């Protein structure tokens, strides 16, 4: 009886590990979460406007949605306008802290800034070098991070570890 009990104690952690969602196994136990780059609520309007001008100009952000007639156009709210431009730039430029700085007028948040028909793509919408959104697909620069291979971690260390564990447990029972 004690060998059967011991066997189940050995196998239980394996079953728990295998039942974890793949996203948790591939991210070393950290569940991925949506992030958006948005304008800070204490940023001065002039500083936000300068950052919008840069992001939509030399920065290369897709600012079509915040132009008149676009789904994110709101001439009365510079915070929303800046947030769209900042987020688009952030998604195109590697999802780094530096890509969400804008002279200290922007910050990362896990609160979705989408409103009405304006849907902001998040950091989790990056897939194989492009960002899928309701306003179209945003192409990322070739030197940006490609997160598509992050789930390969499971195959490189997790499965051999489990196989070794089972072999030891089986040998111990016999």
């Amino acid at each position: 009886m004690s060998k059967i009990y011991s066997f189940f104690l050995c196998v239980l952690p394996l079953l728990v590990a295998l039942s974890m969602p793949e996203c948790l196994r591939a991210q070393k136990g950290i569940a991925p979460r949506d992030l958006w780059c948005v304008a800070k609520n204490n940023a001065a309007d002039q500083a936000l406007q300068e950052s919008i001008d840069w992001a939509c100009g030399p920065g290369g952000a897709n600012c079509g949605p915040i132009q008149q007639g676009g789904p994110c156009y709101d001439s009365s709210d510079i915070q929303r306008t800046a947030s769209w431009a900042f987020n688009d730039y952030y998604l195109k430029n590697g999802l780094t802290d530096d890509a969400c700085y804008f002279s200290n007028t922007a910050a990362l948040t896990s609160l979705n800034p989408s409103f009405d028909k304006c849907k902001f793509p998040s950091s989790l919408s990056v897939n194989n070098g492009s960002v899928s959104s309701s306003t179209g697909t945003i192409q990322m620069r070739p030197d940006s991070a490609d997160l598509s291979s992050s789930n390969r971690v499971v195959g490189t260390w997790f499965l051999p570890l489990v196989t070794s564990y089972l072999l030891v447990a089986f040998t111990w029972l016999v």
Side-chain angles (χ1 to χ4, degrees):
M1 180 71 169
S2 73
K3 282 191 173 188
I4 293 174
Y5 179 71
S6 298
F7 176 75
F8 282 113
L9 284 179
C10 291
V11 173
L12 184 62
L14 172 66
L15 294 175
V16 169
L18 289 175
S19 67
M20 288 173 53
E22 184 176 331
C23 65
L24 293 179
R25 287 182 281 170
Q27 298 290 327
K28 298 179 184 173
I30 300 171
R33 66 180 205 195
D34 289 310
L35 290 176
W36 293 267
C37 178
V38 298
K40 288 184 176 180
N41 59 6
N42 63 349
D45 288 356
Q46 180 61 34
L48 288 174
Q49 187 59 57
E50 290 171 6
S51 294
I52 292 168
D53 293 343
W54 184 86
C56 294
N62 172 19
C63 293
I66 56 175
Q67 302 298 319
Q68 190 167 5
C72 302
Y73 177 73
D74 185 350
S75 63
S76 66
D77 193 337
I78 194 165
Q79 293 266 327
R80 284 182 171 177
T81 302
S83 292
W84 175 269
F86 295 172
N87 192 60
D88 188 80
Y89 179 86
Y90 168 72
L91 295 176
K92 288 181 176 180
N93 288 279
L95 307 172
T96 65
D97 290 340
D98 289 342
C100 185
Y101 182 71
F102 296 96
S103 301
N104 203 27
T105 61
L108 292 174
T109 182
S110 59
L111 300 174
N112 189 339
S114 298
F115 61 96
D116 300 329
K117 292 182 181 179
C118 181
K119 305 301 179 210
F120 281 60
S122 75
S123 58
L124 290 183
S125 62
V126 174
N127 186 14
N128 293 327
S130 66
V131 178
S132 300
S133 73
S134 60
T135 57
T137 299
I138 303 166
Q139 294 300 319
M140 294 179 67
R141 295 186 344 221
D143 61 342
S144 298
D146 180 6
L147 305 176
S148 62
S149 64
S150 63
N151 64 355
R152 292 186 190 149
V153 173
V154 173
T156 58
W157 67 267
F158 185 74
L159 293 178
L161 180 67
V162 168
T163 304
S164 299
Y165 181 78
L166 285 175
L167 184 59
V168 169
F170 182 73
T171 303
W172 181 67
L173 286 174
V174 175

